[in-house]
């Protein structure tokens, strides 16, 4: 009884538990249905996403039994345009297959639909990531099947097609998409290849999928084909890594993927080591300095990982040499070598595996199947290029051990090195610690071999073609042929269950509605269409919506057009195309209203009003420098007077003039119909009262002057402005100011550097102009003349002709040329010929005076010295201070035709105009740094050698003595020599002699005692004070000194004063 009671209680407990589980399941199902309904009706994307995540939590995490029931309803959300919703669906597909791999057949079609029909970059990257995980799940699921059916074949076919499409995305324009596609290629290589031995393979992932789990033969998968695909993709990946077209953002993931492949699939170790070694030796030239540093750090880290791998034992010398190049010390390399016991285990495992392979019965192989037992050996045999490199490397090692060969190699290539070490090399280079060792020589030989057999980087495209040839591109086919796992049948059933109510217009129309109410309803409907932009975009009806809006605005006008205009200008930049479409529609309507042969000049039609309203809105809404205004003007179908007026007002406003003038420039070049009216307005702005606008307009006109069809019109305008200046000078009642004259001349002056011929027009105008106009021309001509240069043929022709009354213009041009540079020989010749032929003013020679011959300068000096003191000073300055040519890079110094001594001698010969000579000599003597006491002494000495002493000689002697008192002894010698030349015969020079003796007392007393008695008496007559001073001097002399003085002189000195007193007393008595 007790046992029966216990059995009864146990059965009741089990029934109760089962009932509770059913009730909980029913409640979870109802909750999922409720959340599904809310998600379908919710318009807010964020709220909808919250509902979908709750559904995922319930059907996957809480009760996975409901997953199959609600899978189709959840997948229906894949057609949402929201990026977040689509990314959620992709994540849901991934979690679904992880939970139940049998559902792969249902999720493959929605995954393909999202993958192919996608323009959003974020969704594309998420789809690639989802496919990366699902491919391994599908591979494992299909590989475990022993038989084949249509569903399995279709499933595997879909994943193979998506594999082809994703590999093609490695050439996508977006960097992120390319990076995701490269990681997908890494997964394909790992999945479709055989694992290494248990020691050499570093895969610690329990879900590592490989060809090892594929039974041979398999009804669906082809072992050899999958392996060959992996090999082709690896070749493509290595070629892409070595390509110089790859950017930094994709190069790092490629290197990381190759490192992972080498560590997990040791059969590819040699190929990947060779590839990475080539990358280190030949970095892409497009990388910046910081990117090169980052890449070298990344290579260093990856090679350290490869060095730690047990499979690196055969390549340790190569890896060690590369790490040494990258700056890794020998101690670090030794610390990261594989452990000894690991290597021994590797050898034992390899031997065991070899024995096992040899003992494998042959009966398991199919007839005609040639499966290679050791994939690593197969890989090596498949690479003839590496065999060639190995052979070349062995030969090069022997050559590199020869010092003579190394020296010849260095001498042959040293001329290709730059003169300076590049900064990027200096920053990235690290000294090679093992330089000269056998390992380093072998590494160098491998690098040279790689140069002898270079990797053809152009193989990237061909490698991709090879990969694609083994895979099928189904991007264009599958989006239209995807079966949506029963969704289509479900929608048909739902449509049949709904009853469609027939629509009749008469039930909605009120025939008694008044006009105002109709207009109100029309406006309300129109506004609803305006607000439905987002809905139309999601539905793919954006173009149709624009056509409806434009059609209603052009037909109804009034308040509808106003609402449409206000809607456009709420976001004019985003709705710019809408405004252009509206204007084009109005233009077509106005064109249809007229005969095609009739010119449209009516500014009151709908088109003109629409254009005026849009232009007004643009001027009110846009910033004064917004280029959108120019863009709209270029889109105008037909220009009206209002359009021209708006552009002109833009140009006349200082804050928007730059935009207005640039708009004129673009329209003149790109819209020929606007050329004539806009050129007239633009040329009028070159004489606008605002100087800033006037200069900007002149700059735009100067750019248009380069167009051959516009140049004549611009030249005529410039000459017309110049003639207006000439006419203003004739009007005595209303004289123009200098600023107004300058404004009218600005366009002509800006064209002068571009067309040298018009210099003759300027010369004609200058010859007829008044003094005030000439003054402005002389000020404004400097900048264009400097640009023209002294070698211009037209300018030399002007120097040759020299029209009447243009001498000052010629002189001004010469001053401009010679201000900072030396005149050319051709220029000097033209001016010299014109000077003699046209009898020009001597002042025209001043700018080129240092280029003339000595005789020409000496002949012109008298005329030049008669000029104003300012001119005289300039002439002497140019002659005594030749300058260094600023335009000559060597800094050649200009030479003067006259030395300072020759100049001073020439000035003393100007006895016809003594006053001018005195001024010139005085200026020369003021330049003490040039006319030193040595120079002056030499000049005086030369003048003493002449037969006739110059009139100004004694004046110069006195001035020299005043400037240099130390020359007193020299002056005394000069006075003594003058006595020998009987200086008293030249009256003016004699007076200067006596003056000098007065100044130089008592040093001059010995000189006076050298004079004859009669001349001494003449001295006393002119300078009586010298008699008493000289007598006092004689009284101080000794008897021996007096004995040397002639008696006649002593009598003259003693009796000159007594005879004068007797004569005075006699005169008084008389």
């Amino acid at each position: 009884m007790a046992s029966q009671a216990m059995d009864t209680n146990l059965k009741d407990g089990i029934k109760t538990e089962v009932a509770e589980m059913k009730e909980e399941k029913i409640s979870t199902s109802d909750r999922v249905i409720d959340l599904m309904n809310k998600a379908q009706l919710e318009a807010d994307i964020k709220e909808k996403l919250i509902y979908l995540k709750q559904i995922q939590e319930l059907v996957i995490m809480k009760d996975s039994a409901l997953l199959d029931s609600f899978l189709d309803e959840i997948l229906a959300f894949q057609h949402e345009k929201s990026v977040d919703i689509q990314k959620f669906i992709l994540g849901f597909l991934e979690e679904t297959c992880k939970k139940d791999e049998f559902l792969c057949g249902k999720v493959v079609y929605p995954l393909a639909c999202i993958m192919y029909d996608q323009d959003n970059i974020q969704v594309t990257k998420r789809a690639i990531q989802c496919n990366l995980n699902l491919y391994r799940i599908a591979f494992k699921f299909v590989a475990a099947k022993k038989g084949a059916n249509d569903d399995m074949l279709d499933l595997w076919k879909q994943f193979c097609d998506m594999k082809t499409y994703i590999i093609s995305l490695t050439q996508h324009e977006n960097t992120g998409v390319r990076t995701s596609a490269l990681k997908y290629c890494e997964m394909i290589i790992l999945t479709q290849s055989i694992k290494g031995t248990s020691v050499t393979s570093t895969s610690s992932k329990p879900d590592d999928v490989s060809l090892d789990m594929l039974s041979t033969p398999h009804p669906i998968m082809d072992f050899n084909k999958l392996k060959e695909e992996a090999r082709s993709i690896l070749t493509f990946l290595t070629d892409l890594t070595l390509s110089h077209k790859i950017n930094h953002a994709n190069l790092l993931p490629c290197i990381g993927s190759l490192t992972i492949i080498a560590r997990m699939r040791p059969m590819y170790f040699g190929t990947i080591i060779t590839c990475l070694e080539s990358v280190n030796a030949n970095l892409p030239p497009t990388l910046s300095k910081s990117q090169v540093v980052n890449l070298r750090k990344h290579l260093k880290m990856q090679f350290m990982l490869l060095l730690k791998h047990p499979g690196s034992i055969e390549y340790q010398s190569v890896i060690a040499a590369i790490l040494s190049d990258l700056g890794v010390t020998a101690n670090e390399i030794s610390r990261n070598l594989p452990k000894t016991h690991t290597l021994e285990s590797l050898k034992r495992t390899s031997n065991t595996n070899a024995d096992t392979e040899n003992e494998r019965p042959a009966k398991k192989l199919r007839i005609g199947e040639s499966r290679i037992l050791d994939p690593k050996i197969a890989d090596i045999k498949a690479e003839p290029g590496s065999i060639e490199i190995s052979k070349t490397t062995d030969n090069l090692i022997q050559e590199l051990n020869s010092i003579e060969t190394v020296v010849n190699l260095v001498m042959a290539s040293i001329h290709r090195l730059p003169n300076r070490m590049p900064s990027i090399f200096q920053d990235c280079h690290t000294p090679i610690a093992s330089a000269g060792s056998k390992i380093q020589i072998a590494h160098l030989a491998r690098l040279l071999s790689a140069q002898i057999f270079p990797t053809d980087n152009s193989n990237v495209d061909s490698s991709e073609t090879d990969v694609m040839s083994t895979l099928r591109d189904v991007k264009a086919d599958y989006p239209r042929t995807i079966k949506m796992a029963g969704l289509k049948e479900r929608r048909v059933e739902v449509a049949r269950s709904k009853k469609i109510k027939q629509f009749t217009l008469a039930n909605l129309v009120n025939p008694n509605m008044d006009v105002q109410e109709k207009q109100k309803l029309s406006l309300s409907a129109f506004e609803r269409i305006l607000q439905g932009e987002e809905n139309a975009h999601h539905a793919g009806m954006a173009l149709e919506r624009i056509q409806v809006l434009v059609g209603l605005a052009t037909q109804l006008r009034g308040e509808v057009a106003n609402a449409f205009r206000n809607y456009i200008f709420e976001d004019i930049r985003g709705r710019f195309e809408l405004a252009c479409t509206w204007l084009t529609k109005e233009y077509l309507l106005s064109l249809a209203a007229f005969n095609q042969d009739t010119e449209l000049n009516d500014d009151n039609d709908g088109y003109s009003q629409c254009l005026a309203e849009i232009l007004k809105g643009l001027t009110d809404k846009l910033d004064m420098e917004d280029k959108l205004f120019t863009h709209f003007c270029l889109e105008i179908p037909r220009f009206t007077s209002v359009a021209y007026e708006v552009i002109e007002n833009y140009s006349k406003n200082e804050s928007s003039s730059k935009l207005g003038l640039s708009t004129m420039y673009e329209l003149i070049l790109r819209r020929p119909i606007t050329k004539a009216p806009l050129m007239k307005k633009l040329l009028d702005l070159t004489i606008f009262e605002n100087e800033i606008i006037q200069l900007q307009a002149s700059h735009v006109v100067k750019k248009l002057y380069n167009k051959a069809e516009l140049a004549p019109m611009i030249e005529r305008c410039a000459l017309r402005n110049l003639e207006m200046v000439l006419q203003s000078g004739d009007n005595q009642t209303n004289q123009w100011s200098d600023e107004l004259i300058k404004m009218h001349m600005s366009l002509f002056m800006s064209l002068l550097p571009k067309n040298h011929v018009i210099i003759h027009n300027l010369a004609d105008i200058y010859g007829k102009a008044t003094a005030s106009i000439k003054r402005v021309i002389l000020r404004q001509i400097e900048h264009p003349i400097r640009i023209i240069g002294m070698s211009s043929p037209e300018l030399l022709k002007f120097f040759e002709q020299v029209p009447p009354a243009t001498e000052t213009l010629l002189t001004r041009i010469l001053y401009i040329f010679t201000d900072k540079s030396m005149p050319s020989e051709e220029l000097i010749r033209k001016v010299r010929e014109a000077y003699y032929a046209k009898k020009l003013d001597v002042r025209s020679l001043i700018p080129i005076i240092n280029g003339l011959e000595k005789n020409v300068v000496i002949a012109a000096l008298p005329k030049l010295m008669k000029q104003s003191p300012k001119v005289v000073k300039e002439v002497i300055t140019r002659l005594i201070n030749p300058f260094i040519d600023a335009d000559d890079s060597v800094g050649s110094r200009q030479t003067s035709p006259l030395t300072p001594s020759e100049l001073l001698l020439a000035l003393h010969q100007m006895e016809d105009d003594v006053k001018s000579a005195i001024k010139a000599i005085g200026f020369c003597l003021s330049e003490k740094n040039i006319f030193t006491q040595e120079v002056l002494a030499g000049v005086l000495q030369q003048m003493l050698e002449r037969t006739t002493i110059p009139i100004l000689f004694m004046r110069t002697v006195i001035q020299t003595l005043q400037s240099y008192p130390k020359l007193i002894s020299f002056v005394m010698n000069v006075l003594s020599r003058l006595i020998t030349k009987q200086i008293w015969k030249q009256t003016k020079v004699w007076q200067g002699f006596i003056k000098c003796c007065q100044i130089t007392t008592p040093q001059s007393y010995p000189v006076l005692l050298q004079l004859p008695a009669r001349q001494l008496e003449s001295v006393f007559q002119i300078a009586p004070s010298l008699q008493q001073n000289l007598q006092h001097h004689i009284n101080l002399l000794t008897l021996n000194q007096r004995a040397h003085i002639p008696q006649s002189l002593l009598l003259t000195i003693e009796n000159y004063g007594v005879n004068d007193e007797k004569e005075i007393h006699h005169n008084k008595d008389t």
Side-chain angles (χ1 to χ4, degrees), residues 627 630-631 634 659-672 674 678 700 703-704:
K627 290 289 185 180
T630 304
H631 189 187
L634 291 172
L659 179 62
L661 292 172
S662 65
T663 303
M664 284 189 178
Y665 176 80
E666 295 292 338
L667 289 172
I668 290 171
L669 293 181
R670 299 168 63 178
R671 298 293 300 275
T674 66
L678 287 181
V700 174
K703 290 199 299 183
L704 292 172

Short mmCIF file of all heavy atoms in Angstrom, two decimals, residues 627 630-631 634 659-672 674 678 700 703-704:
data_model
loop_
_atom_site.label_atom_id
_atom_site.label_comp_id
_atom_site.label_asym_id
_atom_site.label_seq_id
_atom_site.Cartn_x
_atom_site.Cartn_y
_atom_site.Cartn_z
N LYS A 627 28.42 79.60 -52.24
CA LYS A 627 28.56 79.25 -53.65
C LYS A 627 27.29 78.66 -54.24
O LYS A 627 27.20 78.47 -55.47
CB LYS A 627 29.70 78.23 -53.81
CG LYS A 627 31.10 78.80 -53.57
CD LYS A 627 31.51 79.70 -54.70
CE LYS A 627 32.94 80.15 -54.53
NZ LYS A 627 33.38 81.03 -55.63
N THR A 630 25.85 80.81 -57.00
CA THR A 630 26.45 80.63 -58.31
C THR A 630 25.94 79.36 -58.98
O THR A 630 25.66 79.34 -60.19
CB THR A 630 27.98 80.56 -58.17
OG1 THR A 630 28.44 81.74 -57.51
CG2 THR A 630 28.67 80.44 -59.51
N HIS A 631 25.81 78.30 -58.19
CA HIS A 631 25.31 77.03 -58.73
C HIS A 631 23.91 77.21 -59.29
O HIS A 631 23.60 76.70 -60.39
CB HIS A 631 25.32 75.98 -57.62
CG HIS A 631 25.03 74.60 -58.12
ND1 HIS A 631 24.84 73.53 -57.27
CD2 HIS A 631 24.86 74.12 -59.37
CE1 HIS A 631 24.58 72.45 -57.98
NE2 HIS A 631 24.59 72.78 -59.27
N LEU A 634 23.85 79.14 -62.64
CA LEU A 634 24.27 78.32 -63.77
C LEU A 634 23.14 77.40 -64.25
O LEU A 634 23.18 76.94 -65.39
CB LEU A 634 25.49 77.48 -63.38
CG LEU A 634 26.79 78.26 -63.15
CD1 LEU A 634 27.85 77.33 -62.58
CD2 LEU A 634 27.28 78.89 -64.44
N LEU A 659 31.46 87.02 -54.44
CA LEU A 659 30.59 85.98 -54.97
C LEU A 659 29.91 86.43 -56.25
O LEU A 659 29.78 85.68 -57.21
CB LEU A 659 29.56 85.57 -53.91
CG LEU A 659 28.55 84.50 -54.33
CD1 LEU A 659 29.27 83.21 -54.66
CD2 LEU A 659 27.52 84.28 -53.25
N GLY A 660 29.43 87.70 -56.28
CA GLY A 660 28.76 88.20 -57.47
C GLY A 660 29.67 88.23 -58.68
O GLY A 660 29.28 87.84 -59.79
N LEU A 661 30.90 88.68 -58.48
CA LEU A 661 31.84 88.74 -59.61
C LEU A 661 32.25 87.35 -60.06
O LEU A 661 32.42 87.10 -61.26
CB LEU A 661 33.07 89.56 -59.19
CG LEU A 661 32.83 91.05 -58.96
CD1 LEU A 661 34.06 91.71 -58.36
CD2 LEU A 661 32.45 91.75 -60.26
N SER A 662 32.44 86.42 -59.13
CA SER A 662 32.76 85.04 -59.53
C SER A 662 31.59 84.40 -60.28
O SER A 662 31.80 83.61 -61.20
CB SER A 662 33.12 84.21 -58.30
OG SER A 662 32.01 84.06 -57.44
N THR A 663 30.36 84.77 -59.89
CA THR A 663 29.18 84.27 -60.62
C THR A 663 29.18 84.81 -62.04
O THR A 663 28.91 84.07 -63.01
CB THR A 663 27.90 84.69 -59.89
OG1 THR A 663 27.93 84.19 -58.55
CG2 THR A 663 26.69 84.14 -60.60
N MET A 664 29.47 86.11 -62.19
CA MET A 664 29.58 86.67 -63.55
C MET A 664 30.64 85.93 -64.36
O MET A 664 30.43 85.61 -65.55
CB MET A 664 29.95 88.16 -63.46
CG MET A 664 28.81 89.08 -63.06
SD MET A 664 29.33 90.80 -63.24
CE MET A 664 27.81 91.65 -62.79
N TYR A 665 31.76 85.66 -63.75
CA TYR A 665 32.86 84.98 -64.44
C TYR A 665 32.43 83.60 -64.93
O TYR A 665 32.67 83.23 -66.10
CB TYR A 665 34.05 84.88 -63.49
CG TYR A 665 35.23 84.12 -64.04
CD1 TYR A 665 36.12 84.73 -64.91
CD2 TYR A 665 35.46 82.80 -63.67
CE1 TYR A 665 37.21 84.04 -65.42
CE2 TYR A 665 36.54 82.10 -64.17
CZ TYR A 665 37.43 82.73 -65.04
OH TYR A 665 38.50 82.03 -65.54
N GLU A 666 31.78 82.83 -64.07
CA GLU A 666 31.34 81.49 -64.45
C GLU A 666 30.28 81.55 -65.55
O GLU A 666 30.30 80.75 -66.49
CB GLU A 666 30.80 80.74 -63.23
CG GLU A 666 31.83 80.45 -62.15
CD GLU A 666 32.86 79.44 -62.60
OE1 GLU A 666 32.56 78.67 -63.53
OE2 GLU A 666 33.97 79.43 -62.04
N LEU A 667 29.35 82.48 -65.43
CA LEU A 667 28.29 82.58 -66.44
C LEU A 667 28.85 83.00 -67.79
O LEU A 667 28.42 82.49 -68.84
CB LEU A 667 27.22 83.58 -65.97
CG LEU A 667 26.34 83.13 -64.80
CD1 LEU A 667 25.47 84.26 -64.32
CD2 LEU A 667 25.47 81.94 -65.21
N ILE A 668 29.77 83.93 -67.81
CA ILE A 668 30.34 84.40 -69.08
C ILE A 668 31.05 83.25 -69.79
O ILE A 668 30.98 83.11 -71.02
CB ILE A 668 31.30 85.58 -68.83
CG1 ILE A 668 30.49 86.82 -68.42
CG2 ILE A 668 32.12 85.89 -70.07
CD1 ILE A 668 31.34 87.96 -67.94
N LEU A 669 31.72 82.39 -69.03
CA LEU A 669 32.46 81.29 -69.64
C LEU A 669 31.56 80.11 -70.01
O LEU A 669 31.79 79.46 -71.03
CB LEU A 669 33.56 80.82 -68.69
CG LEU A 669 34.71 81.80 -68.42
CD1 LEU A 669 35.72 81.17 -67.48
CD2 LEU A 669 35.39 82.21 -69.71
N ARG A 670 30.55 79.84 -69.20
CA ARG A 670 29.77 78.62 -69.37
C ARG A 670 28.38 78.84 -69.97
O ARG A 670 27.75 77.86 -70.39
CB ARG A 670 29.67 77.91 -68.02
CG ARG A 670 31.03 77.50 -67.45
CD ARG A 670 30.99 77.08 -66.00
NE ARG A 670 30.17 75.91 -65.79
CZ ARG A 670 30.00 75.31 -64.61
NH1 ARG A 670 30.64 75.80 -63.55
NH2 ARG A 670 29.23 74.26 -64.48
N ARG A 671 27.91 80.07 -69.97
CA ARG A 671 26.60 80.37 -70.56
C ARG A 671 26.78 81.45 -71.62
O ARG A 671 26.73 82.65 -71.32
CB ARG A 671 25.62 80.82 -69.48
CG ARG A 671 25.32 79.80 -68.40
CD ARG A 671 24.56 78.59 -68.99
NE ARG A 671 23.30 78.98 -69.55
CZ ARG A 671 22.17 79.12 -68.86
NH1 ARG A 671 22.17 78.88 -67.56
NH2 ARG A 671 21.06 79.47 -69.45
N PRO A 672 27.03 81.10 -72.87
CA PRO A 672 27.35 82.10 -73.91
C PRO A 672 26.27 83.15 -74.09
O PRO A 672 26.57 84.28 -74.47
CB PRO A 672 27.50 81.24 -75.17
CG PRO A 672 27.85 79.88 -74.67
CD PRO A 672 27.12 79.72 -73.37
N THR A 674 24.73 84.79 -71.96
CA THR A 674 24.87 85.88 -70.99
C THR A 674 26.15 86.68 -71.19
O THR A 674 26.43 87.59 -70.42
CB THR A 674 24.87 85.30 -69.56
OG1 THR A 674 26.05 84.49 -69.38
CG2 THR A 674 23.65 84.45 -69.31
N LEU A 678 26.47 90.55 -69.46
CA LEU A 678 27.28 90.48 -68.24
C LEU A 678 28.66 91.10 -68.42
O LEU A 678 29.21 91.70 -67.49
CB LEU A 678 27.42 89.03 -67.79
CG LEU A 678 26.17 88.40 -67.18
CD1 LEU A 678 26.45 86.97 -66.76
CD2 LEU A 678 25.66 89.20 -65.99
N VAL A 700 38.93 90.14 -62.22
CA VAL A 700 38.13 89.18 -62.99
C VAL A 700 38.27 89.44 -64.48
O VAL A 700 38.41 88.51 -65.29
CB VAL A 700 36.65 89.26 -62.55
CG1 VAL A 700 35.78 88.38 -63.43
CG2 VAL A 700 36.50 88.83 -61.10
N LYS A 703 41.45 88.05 -65.86
CA LYS A 703 41.40 86.62 -66.12
C LYS A 703 40.65 86.31 -67.41
O LYS A 703 41.05 85.43 -68.17
CB LYS A 703 40.75 85.89 -64.93
CG LYS A 703 41.57 85.88 -63.67
CD LYS A 703 41.12 84.81 -62.71
CE LYS A 703 39.68 85.00 -62.27
NZ LYS A 703 39.26 84.00 -61.27
N LEU A 704 39.57 87.07 -67.67
CA LEU A 704 38.81 86.85 -68.91
C LEU A 704 39.59 87.32 -70.13
O LEU A 704 39.30 86.90 -71.25
CB LEU A 704 37.47 87.59 -68.83
CG LEU A 704 36.46 87.04 -67.81
CD1 LEU A 704 35.27 87.97 -67.70
CD2 LEU A 704 36.00 85.64 -68.21
#
